[in-house]
Amino acid sequence: MKLKVGLIGLGRLGRVYARDLSSRIGETTLTAVADTDADLAARVAAEFEVPASYRHPEELLADRDVDAAVIVSPTHTHRDVVIAAMQARKPTFCEKPLALSLEECRAMAAAVQSSGAFFQMGFMRRFDPGYAAGKQQVDAGRIGRPVVFKSTSRDPYRPSLEYANPASSGGILVDMGIHDFDLARWFMGDVKTVSAVGGVLAYPEMASVGDIDNAITTLTFADGRLGVVDLTRNGIYGYDITTELLGTEGTVRIGYLRETPVLTMTKNQVAHDTVPYFMERFERAYTLQLQNFAQNVLAGREPPITIRDGVEALRVALAATRACKTGQPVAVDSITN
Amino acid sequence: MKLKVGLIGLGRLGRVYARDLSSRIGETTLTAVADTDADLAARVAAEFEVPASYRHPEELLADRDVDAAVIVSPTHTHRDVVIAAMQARKPTFCEKPLALSLEECRAMAAAVQSSGAFFQMGFMRRFDPGYAAGKQQVDAGRIGRPVVFKSTSRDPYRPSLEYANPASSGGILVDMGIHDFDLARWFMGDVKTVSAVGGVLAYPEMASVGDIDNAITTLTFADGRLGVVDLTRNGIYGYDITTELLGTEGTVRIGYLRETPVLTMTKNQVAHDTVPYFMERFERAYTLQLQNFAQNVLAGREPPITIRDGVEALRVALAATRACKTGQPVAVDSITN
Amino acid sequence: MKLKVGLIGLGRLGRVYARDLSSRIGETTLTAVADTDADLAARVAAEFEVPASYRHPEELLADRDVDAAVIVSPTHTHRDVVIAAMQARKPTFCEKPLALSLEECRAMAAAVQSSGAFFQMGFMRRFDPGYAAGKQQVDAGRIGRPVVFKSTSRDPYRPSLEYANPASSGGILVDMGIHDFDLARWFMGDVKTVSAVGGVLAYPEMASVGDIDNAITTLTFADGRLGVVDLTRNGIYGYDITTELLGTEGTVRIGYLRETPVLTMTKNQVAHDTVPYFMERFERAYTLQLQNFAQNVLAGREPPITIRDGVEALRVALAATRACKTGQPVAVDSITN
Amino acid sequence: MKLKVGLIGLGRLGRVYARDLSSRIGETTLTAVADTDADLAARVAAEFEVPASYRHPEELLADRDVDAAVIVSPTHTHRDVVIAAMQARKPTFCEKPLALSLEECRAMAAAVQSSGAFFQMGFMRRFDPGYAAGKQQVDAGRIGRPVVFKSTSRDPYRPSLEYANPASSGGILVDMGIHDFDLARWFMGDVKTVSAVGGVLAYPEMASVGDIDNAITTLTFADGRLGVVDLTRNGIYGYDITTELLGTEGTVRIGYLRETPVLTMTKNQVAHDTVPYFMERFERAYTLQLQNFAQNVLAGREPPITIRDGVEALRVALAATRACKTGQPVAVDSITN
């Protein structure tokens, strides 16, 4: 039996999810799509042979042929859509970040709790074969006890200023950092304190929207272990995502630079290409993540990534944002909004 | 409009093709499957929601809902199935090797010619992003004129003796080597002479079926350029496929060893895993190959890999087999059977 | 004409310098050695055919056959020996760290200034072919403007507790970090503010001598650019020194993990060895550093690394030490002792 | 006690040996040098503070202050100089190749035998830390039984036509190949049969001196195991020396491409430099080789590389040369001249 999924949000990632849900994931069929751009919804429905397309999420959630919802609409819509999905008691997957404020998060968490419906948070890196294998090795004790967490995220170029605007993106420490902060919690547990430095170093025009383009955050975990996350918009050479766990008996390093298995060797030089961007790097992780969601719903399993994970990663990101602005260490649990 | 494909042969690769044709390739729908094991055919049809399943290829080819045929049945069946497909004037894709003898090849080539139907030979490496990028760089002149072709194929373990039997596999120089010989022709043009050495070096039991487990073949191309292909069944550490083009202004090296982007660093050692086997290494190439077939048929384009490519790669493999047995150089065009 | 050098201090590095000065560096002869262990001094003198050996640095400095002094005695002796060398007006090279307090540094700097004698500070990484090539590329504009400095230093195992004692080592942020802080200044200029976190995470016994075994320091340079330095005593897998300059048009990464050019490929695994420790990693840098010193003295050139470089790297290290203890950002110029 | 060495031949490598013997190798002093260019001999003697310089090898061999001879004069002189050294009963090291004909070899071998003096053949790769570590791993059984030997030697550019002339170089299969053939014998034992193909593929002017610029040789060892050696003058990207031992339980791969530990990452590309040439690649091996010679002489140990090794590597190279010319497999023991 396949899970009949309704997909809400048809932006770049939404279209990838449409393809995955309709054809790449054996456990799902895509029975409805919704987007505020109704024409787009209709076109995507036609392309992937989806029976129904809607303008409003509520319509989709009311569709009897929709067993479960996948939400990949803009972040500012998450609260209302998640609450509606919970009220409709549809098993729901929601893309990161959960929201831009903890207030919104609390409303969603309350809805999840009162509904009792299945809710799975999206952090695709956990499903990347590299990250999954690294986690498995750490859990298996290959590096002893991990004591330092290091993570680097580099975008190959500046996002559009519209996208970068913290009013919609949350700023670099939320938009990019939330992935690394979730990994930090996944590998090491809760973060107690953060410090951060940042600046507009590569793209002066970033200042016009009120965001920075580089940031470095240090983390102290609840048990005293350490972490560091550095983020940049000027990766230039490519999309470079690397995480390292330094342990008492070894180290695990996750990540790679080369996209295509070709070395080009010319006069005094050896060169290779690089990973272009996140869709190339995490294509398989995105698919595996939705497949995992479907399997969990079908098998009645607990979600591996809960709404609390979404809330707490955001809390660290907001703490880092404050630390970066104030120049002072910030206790993560002091962030309540 | 999608190409309605009938799939003949449902072994390991056949099932992968069933998945690709039914869901991963936007340009195709899988409308029928056939296998001498009719139960298997029925099960696969059910799994991938294929309307029709058959025991005999002829039945599939007679199905009006089959626009094109993909043949991945055992090599010894290729001749009859290809001829039948050509007589039915169905655009056809046939997996490598075309056959085990040139006599069979000639019969198929004659059928292709008299039919006029579209025929595309399967050599998936050409569709691997690594090989495709390497070819593009060579064609773009990045390494000047390529003068030496080097290719290595290593299986991670011995095949079953039943599989390895030259009566069905053609022997290591056909079964494994045909890929490298096709690459040799693709990059460098026709091969004039081959020499080869080989032996049972790792698995003494290979002698019982009359095959060897290691072989090295040198190639002289028609224009005097050189090549070398080494094959082994005892890759042990993993599935390692590497090709190198040495040119007058540089070198292109294609291939990789690491499957998962994780480095595990323990006392005095850095280690990583390896590519397990051909399905992991060439999964995407297989999909892209069938997609290319469908696109060519739909667009009325010529096949990028023709039956002649299948015939000539086999001729080189047979020449190498003879050279290995006789210890003498063999002119490729002296092989006629 | 060769520079006649007297070598003060014959510990592990001192013996390496004895070999370099006596035989590997064409521009020098080793004419005297001194060590508080007079027997050791005599033995080293015999081994390297050095005419004179002394117990006291003053004796060596008074030797008319000593044109220049190389000081590699314990850090706590540097002040007195450097001052004596300056008073004797001998061109002097002093190993890092200059001292453990800025007070000592000031005394030495005053002696250098009043003497007018040549003084070159030792920071061997600047002479490593990798770091030198990286610097050259940055200076040549290959990465545009460098905006983020990242540096990692990992020891393969815990030092002896005696060595680690901050009373003699200065603590991890001085002992290990001073190299990275010097690199930070070399690549990026003066550091304005530092923050740091650290802990005893791998070797509980480190607490008994009052030091930590892991630390992460973030740097804000005078012009707002950023840096991060992470240090660990539990590298375990090997001695790993890596520095990265992230620029507006590219990135330069300096460092390597593999010591011996051998890949060992066994069942499902590819592995290689690692750099054992600093003598293997920086052997050539140490030699090139002393050769550079000799060449500068002989040619009457200015020192590429001045006493101010020694002072300022220490100041950053002391600021980081304070930041780590207080949990608060520290302005580097607030450190005066 | 140090070994007093006389050095015969002061070409490029000779000067490196002069430096090594006079200052880098603790076990030796350089007491005399000889070169047919007497002025050069005098200059080198002055530079390295060598007591005596000569025009004729015989003069050097008659010097009572010369305990042992290192011969690095042109290949065509080896016979006479080795015979003279043996008659003088001086322990002798002779650079590869021993000679260009087996006739010369026999005369030298006879002289070694009748003299009873110590004779060590030069094949520096065996002393390279990479090759030494690889050999150790193979001997320790890390890869089971090695069954295939693969070796590649690539020069970064064409040698001068004068140098390349087979009359003095022996041709590519002797000049370059002898190193790989020696490695083949070292790792695998005696070679029984060789086949070879070659051609003038990159530098048409090579034909004018009667040599080729690319060659591929397959080897069958006495016990049926296999090998392949490919040689090129158009490495272009750098000096690339790689050897691989494929075993029944794993593989060892020796070699590297990157000279400087810097990755330069610019728009969509990661690049590094390459090993320039043999002096950079094997500098340490050359030093270790002479040090080993001195230690063996001083300790009265047997030579690890004998004159027979020099003879047999040449015999394989001559067999390969003939195989390449005739296009037929050649039994190595059929080569007697």
Side-chain angles (χ1 to χ4, degrees):
Chain A
M1 202 202 60
K2 296 194 175 192
L3 186 67
K4 291 183 280 184
V5 177
L7 173 64
I8 298 167
L10 296 172
R12 179 166 173 185
L13 185 56
R15 290 179 58 93
V16 171
Y17 278 0
R19 182 204 62 192
D20 285 353
L21 292 165
S22 64
S23 63
R24 291 232 176 148
I25 298 172
E27 292 85 350
T28 61
T29 55
L30 183 57
T31 49
V33 293
D35 195 279
T36 51
D37 179 342
D39 285 348
L40 172 63
R43 282 200 309 277
V44 171
E47 181 180 351
F48 295 103
E49 301 178 4
V50 180
S53 76
Y54 302 102
R55 179 188 301 268
H56 299 297
E58 295 76 14
E59 296 166 344
L60 180 144
L61 292 167
D63 186 331
R64 296 193 142 212
D65 220 31
V66 167
D67 289 341
V70 166
I71 301 171
V72 61
S73 52
T75 303
H76 73 271
T77 68
H78 285 183
R79 185 184 58 179
D80 291 352
V81 180
V82 164
I83 291 173
M86 288 297 103
Q87 288 173 341
R89 287 190 159 59
K90 304 271 185 182
T92 294
F93 171 92
C94 182
E95 189 55 35
K96 73 95 220 173
L98 193 56
L100 296 184
S101 75
L102 292 177
E103 188 178 18
E104 294 168 285
C105 289
R106 273 192 296 269
M108 285 186 268
V112 169
Q113 192 169 5
S114 64
S115 158
F118 180 97
F119 180 90
Q120 182 165 333
M121 184 67 210
F123 281 121
M124 84 291 181
R125 286 192 195 173
R126 297 200 193 186
F127 295 93
D128 170 67
Y131 279 94
K135 182 64 158 59
Q136 203 168 25
Q137 291 190 18
V138 170
D139 289 350
R142 292 292 301 277
I143 63 164
R145 174 174 152 85
V147 294
V148 178
F149 169 88
K150 291 184 66 175
S151 201
T152 294
S153 291
R154 293 184 180 159
D155 272 356
Y157 44 77
R158 177 174 71 67
S160 71
L161 294 178
E162 184 192 358
Y163 177 93
N165 194 318
S168 55
S169 74
I172 191 172
L173 283 156
V174 172
D175 181 51
M176 291 185 72
I178 202 158
H179 288 291
D180 301 282
F181 298 135
D182 176 61
L183 292 176
R185 293 186 63 257
W186 191 41
F187 277 102
M188 305 284 278
D190 281 330
V191 179
K192 190 177 175 191
T193 320
V194 301
S195 295
V197 290
V200 177
L201 303 179
Y203 306 109
E205 64 274 25
M206 288 293 278
S208 71
V209 293
D211 201 15
I212 55 180
D213 51 27
N214 279 273
I216 301 166
T217 303
T218 53
L219 312 173
T220 307
F221 293 93
D223 55 9
R225 292 180 296 161
L226 303 175
V228 59
V229 170
D230 66 283
L231 310 172
T232 190
R233 296 289 193 188
N234 51 302
I236 307 297
Y237 57 92
Y239 181 70
D240 189 6
I241 306 295
T242 312
T243 298
E244 194 177 27
L245 277 297
L246 181 67
T248 53
E249 294 172 30
T251 287
V252 159
R253 193 174 288 174
I254 306 159
Y256 64 101
L257 287 173
R258 184 168 67 157
E259 176 75 355
T260 313
V262 175
L263 289 183
T264 307
M265 298 139 81
T266 48
K267 191 139 190 64
N268 305 328
Q269 182 183 278
V270 173
H272 62 76
D273 71 356
T274 61
V275 181
Y277 211 2
F278 71 99
M279 281 309 304
E280 289 83 3
R281 175 65 183 86
F282 290 113
E283 180 180 10
R284 199 164 162 208
Y286 281 120
T287 306
L288 291 171
Q289 174 173 254
L290 284 193
Q291 182 173 36
N292 175 268
F293 164 67
Q295 290 172 340
N296 295 332
V297 171
L298 291 169
R301 288 201 295 253
E302 292 297 306
I305 315 183
T306 66
I307 195 163
R308 180 172 181 269
D309 291 318
V311 175
E312 294 308 318
L314 179 64
R315 196 188 306 271
V316 177
L318 294 174
T321 304
R322 183 181 298 175
C324 190
K325 281 182 182 147
T326 63
Q328 292 294 317
V330 170
V332 173
D333 64 12
S334 74
I335 303 294
T336 56
N337 240 329
Chain B
M1 202 203 61
K2 297 194 174 191
L3 185 68
K4 291 183 280 184
V5 176
L7 173 64
I8 298 167
L10 296 171
R12 180 167 173 184
L13 185 56
R15 289 179 58 93
V16 171
Y17 277 0
R19 182 204 64 192
D20 285 354
L21 292 165
S22 65
S23 62
R24 292 234 175 146
I25 298 172
E27 292 86 348
T28 60
T29 54
L30 184 57
T31 49
V33 293
D35 196 279
T36 51
D37 179 342
D39 286 348
L40 171 64
R43 284 199 308 276
V44 171
E47 181 179 351
F48 295 103
E49 301 177 4
V50 180
S53 76
Y54 302 103
R55 181 188 300 267
H56 299 298
E58 295 75 14
E59 296 167 344
L60 180 144
L61 291 168
D63 186 332
R64 297 191 141 214
D65 220 31
V66 168
D67 289 342
V70 166
I71 301 170
V72 60
S73 52
T75 304
H76 73 271
T77 68
H78 285 183
R79 184 185 59 179
D80 290 352
V81 180
V82 165
I83 290 172
M86 287 296 103
Q87 288 173 341
R89 288 190 159 58
K90 305 271 184 182
T92 295
F93 171 91
C94 181
E95 188 57 34
K96 73 96 218 172
L98 192 56
L100 296 185
S101 75
L102 292 177
E103 187 177 18
E104 294 168 285
C105 289
R106 272 192 297 270
M108 285 186 268
V112 169
Q113 192 168 5
S114 66
S115 160
F118 180 96
F119 180 90
Q120 183 164 333
M121 184 67 211
F123 280 121
M124 84 292 183
R125 287 193 195 173
R126 297 199 194 186
F127 295 93
D128 171 67
Y131 279 94
K135 184 62 159 60
Q136 203 168 25
Q137 292 191 18
V138 170
D139 289 350
R142 292 292 299 278
I143 63 165
R145 173 173 152 87
V147 294
V148 178
F149 169 89
K150 290 183 66 176
S151 200
T152 294
S153 291
R154 292 183 181 161
D155 272 355
Y157 44 79
R158 178 174 71 68
S160 72
L161 294 179
E162 184 191 358
Y163 177 91
N165 194 318
S168 54
S169 74
I172 190 172
L173 283 156
V174 171
D175 180 51
M176 293 185 71
I178 201 158
H179 289 292
D180 302 280
F181 297 135
D182 177 61
L183 292 175
R185 292 186 65 256
W186 191 39
F187 277 101
M188 305 283 279
D190 281 329
V191 179
K192 190 176 174 193
T193 320
V194 303
S195 295
V197 290
V200 177
L201 303 179
Y203 306 109
E205 64 273 26
M206 288 292 278
S208 70
V209 293
D211 201 14
I212 55 180
D213 50 29
N214 279 273
I216 301 167
T217 304
T218 54
L219 313 172
T220 306
F221 293 93
D223 55 9
R225 293 181 297 162
L226 303 176
V228 59
V229 170
D230 66 281
L231 310 172
T232 190
R233 296 289 192 188
N234 51 301
I236 307 295
Y237 58 92
Y239 181 70
D240 189 5
I241 305 296
T242 312
T243 298
E244 194 176 27
L245 277 298
L246 181 68
T248 52
E249 294 172 30
T251 287
V252 160
R253 193 175 289 174
I254 306 159
Y256 64 102
L257 287 174
R258 184 168 67 156
E259 176 76 356
T260 313
V262 175
L263 289 183
T264 307
M265 298 139 81
T266 49
K267 191 141 190 65
N268 305 328
Q269 183 183 277
V270 173
H272 62 76
D273 71 356
T274 61
V275 181
Y277 211 1
F278 70 99
M279 280 310 304
E280 290 83 2
R281 175 64 184 87
F282 290 113
E283 180 180 10
R284 200 165 162 208
Y286 281 120
T287 306
L288 291 171
Q289 174 173 254
L290 284 193
Q291 183 173 37
N292 175 268
F293 164 67
Q295 290 171 341
N296 294 333
V297 172
L298 290 170
R301 288 201 294 256
E302 292 297 306
I305 315 183
T306 65
I307 196 164
R308 181 172 179 269
D309 292 318
V311 175
E312 294 308 317
L314 178 65
R315 197 188 305 272
V316 177
L318 294 175
T321 305
R322 183 180 298 173
C324 190
K325 281 183 182 147
T326 63
Q328 292 293 317
V330 170
V332 172
D333 64 11
S334 74
I335 302 295
T336 56
N337 240 330
Chain C
M1 201 203 61
K2 296 193 175 193
L3 185 68
K4 291 183 280 182
V5 176
L7 173 64
I8 298 167
L10 296 171
R12 180 166 173 184
L13 185 56
R15 290 179 57 92
V16 170
Y17 277 1
R19 182 205 62 191
D20 285 354
L21 292 165
S22 65
S23 62
R24 292 231 176 149
I25 299 172
E27 292 85 348
T28 61
T29 55
L30 183 56
T31 49
V33 293
D35 196 280
T36 51
D37 180 343
D39 286 349
L40 172 63
R43 282 199 310 275
V44 171
E47 181 180 351
F48 295 103
E49 302 177 3
V50 180
S53 77
Y54 302 102
R55 179 188 301 268
H56 299 297
E58 295 77 13
E59 296 168 343
L60 179 145
L61 291 168
D63 186 332
R64 298 195 139 209
D65 219 31
V66 168
D67 289 341
V70 166
I71 302 171
V72 61
S73 52
T75 304
H76 74 271
T77 69
H78 285 182
R79 184 185 59 179
D80 290 352
V81 180
V82 165
I83 291 173
M86 288 297 104
Q87 288 173 341
R89 288 189 158 60
K90 305 272 184 181
T92 294
F93 170 92
C94 181
E95 190 55 35
K96 72 96 222 175
L98 193 55
L100 296 184
S101 76
L102 292 177
E103 188 178 17
E104 294 167 286
C105 289
R106 274 192 296 270
M108 285 185 268
V112 169
Q113 191 169 7
S114 65
S115 159
F118 180 97
F119 180 91
Q120 182 164 335
M121 184 67 210
F123 279 121
M124 84 292 181
R125 286 192 195 174
R126 296 198 193 188
F127 295 94
D128 170 67
Y131 279 94
K135 183 63 159 61
Q136 203 168 24
Q137 292 190 18
V138 170
D139 289 350
R142 293 290 301 277
I143 64 164
R145 174 174 152 85
V147 295
V148 178
F149 169 88
K150 291 183 66 175
S151 201
T152 294
S153 291
R154 293 184 181 160
D155 272 354
Y157 44 78
R158 177 175 72 67
S160 72
L161 294 179
E162 184 191 359
Y163 177 92
N165 194 319
S168 54
S169 73
I172 190 172
L173 283 156
V174 172
D175 180 51
M176 292 185 72
I178 201 158
H179 288 291
D180 301 282
F181 298 136
D182 176 62
L183 291 176
R185 292 187 64 256
W186 190 41
F187 276 102
M188 306 284 277
D190 282 330
V191 179
K192 191 178 174 191
T193 320
V194 302
S195 294
V197 290
V200 177
L201 303 179
Y203 306 109
E205 64 274 25
M206 288 292 279
S208 70
V209 294
D211 202 15
I212 55 181
D213 51 28
N214 279 273
I216 301 166
T217 303
T218 54
L219 312 172
T220 307
F221 293 93
D223 55 9
R225 292 180 297 161
L226 303 175
V228 59
V229 170
D230 66 283
L231 309 172
T232 190
R233 297 289 192 189
N234 52 302
I236 307 296
Y237 58 91
Y239 181 70
D240 188 5
I241 306 296
T242 311
T243 298
E244 194 176 26
L245 277 298
L246 181 67
T248 53
E249 294 172 30
T251 287
V252 159
R253 194 174 288 173
I254 306 159
Y256 63 102
L257 287 173
R258 184 169 66 158
E259 176 75 356
T260 312
V262 175
L263 289 183
T264 307
M265 298 138 82
T266 48
K267 192 143 189 62
N268 305 329
Q269 182 183 277
V270 173
H272 62 76
D273 71 356
T274 61
V275 181
Y277 211 2
F278 70 98
M279 281 309 305
E280 289 82 2
R281 176 64 184 86
F282 290 113
E283 181 180 10
R284 199 165 161 208
Y286 281 120
T287 306
L288 291 171
Q289 174 173 253
L290 284 192
Q291 182 174 37
N292 175 268
F293 165 67
Q295 290 171 340
N296 294 334
V297 172
L298 291 170
R301 288 201 294 255
E302 291 298 304
I305 314 184
T306 65
I307 195 163
R308 180 172 180 269
D309 291 319
V311 176
E312 294 308 318
L314 179 64
R315 198 187 306 271
V316 177
L318 294 174
T321 304
R322 183 180 299 175
C324 189
K325 281 183 181 146
T326 63
Q328 292 293 318
V330 171
V332 172
D333 64 11
S334 74
I335 303 295
T336 55
N337 239 330
Chain D
M1 201 204 60
K2 296 193 175 193
L3 185 67
K4 292 183 280 184
V5 176
L7 173 64
I8 298 167
L10 296 171
R12 181 167 173 184
L13 185 56
R15 289 179 59 93
V16 171
Y17 277 0
R19 182 203 63 193
D20 285 354
L21 292 166
S22 65
S23 63
R24 293 232 174 149
I25 298 172
E27 292 85 347
T28 61
T29 55
L30 184 56
T31 49
V33 293
D35 196 279
T36 51
D37 179 341
D39 286 348
L40 172 63
R43 283 201 307 278
V44 171
E47 181 180 351
F48 295 103
E49 301 177 4
V50 180
S53 76
Y54 302 102
R55 181 190 299 268
H56 300 297
E58 295 75 15
E59 296 167 344
L60 180 145
L61 291 168
D63 186 332
R64 298 193 140 211
D65 221 31
V66 168
D67 289 341
V70 166
I71 302 170
V72 61
S73 52
T75 304
H76 74 271
T77 68
H78 285 183
R79 184 184 59 180
D80 290 352
V81 180
V82 165
I83 290 173
M86 288 297 103
Q87 288 172 343
R89 289 191 158 59
K90 305 271 183 180
T92 295
F93 171 91
C94 181
E95 189 56 34
K96 72 97 220 171
L98 192 56
L100 296 185
S101 74
L102 292 177
E103 188 178 16
E104 294 168 286
C105 290
R106 272 192 297 270
M108 286 185 268
V112 169
Q113 192 168 6
S114 65
S115 159
F118 180 97
F119 180 90
Q120 182 164 336
M121 184 67 212
F123 280 121
M124 83 292 182
R125 287 192 195 173
R126 296 199 193 187
F127 295 93
D128 170 67
Y131 278 94
K135 184 63 158 61
Q136 203 167 26
Q137 291 191 19
V138 170
D139 289 349
R142 292 291 300 278
I143 63 165
R145 173 174 153 86
V147 294
V148 178
F149 169 88
K150 289 183 67 176
S151 201
T152 294
S153 291
R154 291 183 182 161
D155 272 355
Y157 44 79
R158 178 175 70 68
S160 72
L161 294 179
E162 184 191 357
Y163 177 92
N165 194 317
S168 55
S169 74
I172 190 172
L173 284 157
V174 171
D175 181 51
M176 292 185 71
I178 202 158
H179 289 291
D180 302 281
F181 298 135
D182 176 61
L183 292 175
R185 293 187 64 256
W186 191 40
F187 277 102
M188 304 284 276
D190 282 330
V191 179
K192 190 177 173 192
T193 319
V194 302
S195 295
V197 289
V200 177
L201 303 178
Y203 307 109
E205 64 274 26
M206 288 292 278
S208 71
V209 293
D211 201 16
I212 56 181
D213 50 29
N214 279 273
I216 301 166
T217 303
T218 53
L219 312 173
T220 306
F221 293 93
D223 54 10
R225 292 181 296 162
L226 302 177
V228 59
V229 170
D230 65 283
L231 310 171
T232 189
R233 297 289 192 188
N234 52 303
I236 306 296
Y237 58 92
Y239 181 70
D240 189 6
I241 306 295
T242 311
T243 298
E244 193 176 27
L245 276 297
L246 181 67
T248 52
E249 295 171 29
T251 287
V252 159
R253 193 175 288 175
I254 306 160
Y256 63 103
L257 287 174
R258 183 168 67 157
E259 176 75 356
T260 313
V262 175
L263 289 183
T264 307
M265 298 138 82
T266 49
K267 192 141 188 65
N268 305 329
Q269 182 183 277
V270 173
H272 63 75
D273 71 355
T274 60
V275 181
Y277 211 2
F278 70 100
M279 281 309 305
E280 290 82 3
R281 176 64 185 86
F282 290 113
E283 181 180 9
R284 198 163 162 210
Y286 281 120
T287 306
L288 291 171
Q289 174 174 253
L290 283 193
Q291 183 173 37
N292 175 268
F293 165 67
Q295 290 172 340
N296 294 333
V297 171
L298 290 170
R301 288 201 295 253
E302 292 297 306
I305 315 183
T306 65
I307 195 162
R308 181 172 179 269
D309 291 319
V311 175
E312 294 307 318
L314 179 63
R315 197 188 306 271
V316 177
L318 294 175
T321 304
R322 182 181 298 176
C324 189
K325 281 183 182 147
T326 62
Q328 292 293 317
V330 170
V332 172
D333 63 10
S334 74
I335 302 296
T336 55
N337 239 330

